[in-house]
Amino acid sequence: MSDFGTFFLPGPTEVRREVLEAMLAPMLPHRGAAFEALFARLQQGLRPIFRSARPVYVSSSSATGLMEAAIRCAAPGPILSLVNGAFSERFANIAVACGRDTHVIGGDWHQPVPLEAVERALRDRHYAALTVVHSETSTGTLTSLPAVTALAHQHDTAVLVDSVTGLGGVPVETDAWELDFVFTGSQKALALPPGLAFGVASTRFLEQAATATARGLYFDLVEYEEFVHKNQTPSTPAISLLYATAVQGEHIARETIDARWARHAAMAEMTHDWVRQLREDTGAPFCVYAPEHARSGTVTAVALPDALKGDDVVKGVAKRGFVIGGGYGKLKRSTFRIGHMGDHTPDRLARCLEATADTIRELLK
Ligand SMILES: *Cc1c(COP(=O)(O)O)cnc(C)c1O
């Protein structure tokens, strides 16, 4: 474990040795009592993370699979997509690719889509569902889910939530906030290897899903619901990753989800303070890309002065033994990103930030 704490990519995130070693367990049949016991163990770990009494679907796909499931299983009718970054744009593109009549609002990457714009759109026309990204990994912006959900439900619109870099890192209250479908991927704040996605659907959403006409097969949530009650999955799951998830679920339960959220909040604050310090020390206009009132607890995009390139910062930090993320999409050149999520600690994050500051001072010379 002494080498843990060098890999600060905003996904995949660093995985602890104990979790990696869990995957060495031998195979077992995926129909049978031993598997069902394993799956039940997984549920015990996952439900508190989602703050839900509902079962958690386990998809052997990356998170994009459950983005597609969300769209395919939404009731017939148009989709409203809230776009404020690369991943929310992807969600809208998936709706289009699945043949849905899709209306996009927002487009400004600097902030969550304003509630007034959401309300206006919902008043204009009835939408079966809206798509929203909780924590925009491309910008580090956090959207307030209770506000969006309350508005959507006033207009009888289901809320499909990508909380891929939210769940397990920042507060998500699936049941209390009445989220219709919310999902994450294994390789972000849950600090598991890539390859699984987890999601929870409300009973209301499932009833609507039963009326969806093009659910397809692999991502049919109605099937998932049927199997989850038997502690099974519709097709052969990535069994080794399930072993890892069981172990990590127990680790998170010991930490407690509240303590995990608090640790992430502390790391985010530390990173924001560090950016302010960097600006003061260098006199150059470094800043946190996301607005102060809407910052994610798991990832920070740092906007660079024109003289610096995101890639050069990433390369310099790598020479010092740490991995951080480059800018994403149209922010590739003008930002870099630090993933302060998963099982990282403020101590090791401080060392990564120190290496990043050293790199920047050298590049500015
Ligand atoms: C990483 C990420 C995804 C896509 O996840 P994959 O596991 O690569 O399919 C979707 N949305 C957000 C916000 C993400 O951070």
Side-chain angles (χ1 to χ4, degrees):
M1 267 286 287
S2 61
D3 55 344
F4 187 91
T6 56
F7 192 80
F8 290 84
L9 210 63
T13 55
E14 197 162 345
V15 179
R16 293 177 305 113
R17 179 167 293 279
E18 179 198 19
V19 175
L20 292 171
E21 283 174 355
M23 293 192 291
L24 294 172
M27 286 304 116
L28 47 71
H30 66 290
R31 304 286 179 227
F35 180 86
E36 287 163 16
L38 168 69
F39 199 85
R41 228 177 111 199
L42 234 77
Q43 291 293 319
Q44 286 246 310
L46 290 170
R47 286 181 200 186
I49 295 170
F50 278 81
R51 295 272 209 184
S52 183
R54 293 273 305 141
V56 180
Y57 306 146
V58 179
S59 169
S60 292
S61 69
S62 79
T64 304
L66 287 188
M67 295 172 98
E68 182 155 340
I71 299 294
R72 286 191 172 277
C73 296
I79 305 279
L80 179 66
S81 282
L82 279 53
V83 171
N84 67 329
F87 291 96
S88 42
E89 200 168 84
R90 180 189 297 187
F91 214 168
N93 290 342
I94 291 171
V96 173
C98 290
R100 292 296 193 125
D101 174 4
T102 307
H103 181 57
V104 171
I105 55 168
D108 178 2
W109 284 31
H110 276 98
Q111 56 169 350
V113 176
L115 287 175
E116 308 79 69
V118 179
E119 189 166 22
R120 216 176 309 124
L122 289 169
R123 259 206 307 260
D124 265 7
R125 187 178 179 194
H126 177 256
Y127 290 95
L130 70 73
T131 65
V132 59
V133 170
H134 185 203
S135 164
E136 238 311 339
T137 316
S138 57
T139 63
T141 302
L142 193 78
T143 290
S144 165
L145 295 176
V148 170
T149 307
L151 266 181
H153 286 171
Q154 276 168 30
H155 295 269
D156 202 23
T157 296
V159 181
L160 312 175
V161 182
D162 168 336
S163 188
V164 178
T165 50
L167 268 157
V170 303
V172 173
E173 300 281 356
T174 301
D175 290 358
W177 295 349
E178 300 181 7
L179 306 178
D180 293 284
F181 185 54
V182 55
F183 56 87
T184 187
S186 51
Q187 81 279 22
K188 305 280 171 84
L190 297 180
L192 284 161
L196 292 178
F198 310 105
V200 168
S202 69
T203 47
R204 193 179 98 126
F205 183 66
L206 266 181
E207 282 162 22
Q208 296 175 4
T211 70
T213 45
R215 297 201 300 275
L217 188 135
Y218 196 64
F219 295 118
D220 180 0
L221 297 178
V222 176
E223 274 240 307
Y224 267 88
E225 175 76 14
E226 217 174 279
F227 278 80
V228 83
H229 290 290
K230 299 185 282 191
N231 281 315
Q232 289 184 13
T233 53
S235 52
T236 318
I239 293 171
S240 306
L241 290 170
L242 299 195
Y243 293 139
T245 307
V247 165
Q248 182 66 342
E250 284 154 6
H251 170 79
I252 293 173
R254 279 191 300 274
E255 180 181 19
T256 78
I257 191 69
D258 293 277
R260 198 171 177 86
W261 292 342
R263 178 167 54 78
H264 280 83
M267 290 194 292
E269 198 181 316
M270 200 172 149
T271 307
H272 304 157
D273 288 348
W274 171 83
V275 174
R276 191 179 326 119
Q277 195 63 50
L278 188 67
R279 183 168 60 238
E280 282 169 18
D281 290 353
T282 60
F286 292 96
C287 64
V288 175
Y289 187 84
E292 195 156 357
H293 66 279
R295 289 178 182 170
S296 175
T298 60
V299 52
T300 299
V302 180
L304 293 165
D306 289 339
L308 294 184
K309 282 207 299 257
D311 268 357
D312 293 336
V313 177
V314 173
K315 279 185 206 144
V317 172
K319 277 194 216 132
R320 289 168 169 85
F322 291 91
V323 176
I324 61 170
Y328 197 97
K330 67 182 186 189
L331 302 181
K332 184 165 172 50
R333 190 200 148 95
S334 59
T335 65
F336 66 88
R337 295 173 306 151
I338 297 183
H340 33 78
M341 71 179 114
D343 289 335
H344 282 306
T345 57
D347 277 3
R348 293 298 291 219
L349 174 62
R351 289 166 70 173
C352 173
L353 295 175
E354 218 175 274
T356 310
D358 286 348
T359 302
I360 286 171
R361 276 191 288 268
E362 187 181 88
L363 288 170
L364 283 174
K365 257 187 221 153

